[in-house]
Amino acid sequence: MDVLKELARVLEERKSQDPQKSYVASLYAKGLDAILKKIGEEATETVMAAKDGNLDKIVYEVADLWFHSLVLLAHQGLSPDQVLAELQRRFGLSGLEEKAGRDDKSG
């Protein structure tokens, strides 16, 4: 889990970097839609890798998906710890119980 904290720290630092010199800073500069587009692309590539059955490619694409999801969290002022806390909250609940207990219509 330390890698998530370290990556979150670096992603925060990139907010103040020159978009011409940092890929992450350039995503922040382009805004939310650009970040969401990258997440969509990475999710699609993850699905394609899984359909192909290439285990190494699945790991590579999931890493890209997680990375860009962490960029989104940082952009929105959220942290990986908040997601981990939500996963911990769900631990021990059946998926059906968790879904039935949601207050919103998030899915």
Side-chain angles (χ1 to χ4, degrees):
M1 298 301 170
D2 290 338
V3 70
L4 289 178
K5 289 182 183 198
E6 181 64 17
L7 185 52
R9 184 190 64 73
V10 170
L11 293 176
E12 281 297 318
E13 286 178 0
R14 294 298 189 264
K15 288 181 177 180
S16 63
Q17 298 292 316
D18 180 352
Q20 300 296 321
K21 296 181 179 179
S22 165
Y23 169 71
V24 172
S26 73
L27 281 177
Y28 290 144
K30 291 175 188 173
L32 182 60
D33 286 346
I35 296 168
L36 296 176
K37 182 178 177 184
K38 280 305 295 180
I39 291 173
E41 289 171 7
E42 299 305 342
T44 299
E45 290 172 3
T46 299
V47 169
M48 292 168 47
K51 291 288 279 180
D52 290 344
N54 183 330
L55 302 182
D56 290 336
K57 187 74 169 170
I58 293 168
V59 169
Y60 182 88
E61 295 302 343
V62 169
D64 280 351
L65 179 58
W66 286 11
F67 176 83
H68 287 91
S69 294
L70 289 168
V71 171
L72 171 65
L73 289 175
H75 182 72
Q76 298 293 81
L78 300 168
S79 75
D81 286 340
Q82 290 170 277
V83 177
L84 294 172
E86 175 60 17
L87 289 172
Q88 182 65 41
R89 182 192 69 78
R90 295 180 187 185
F91 195 80
L93 289 177
S94 81
L96 296 175
E97 288 173 333
E98 190 282 326
K99 190 169 183 175
R102 291 182 191 170
D103 293 336
D104 60 45
K105 297 179 193 227
S106 63

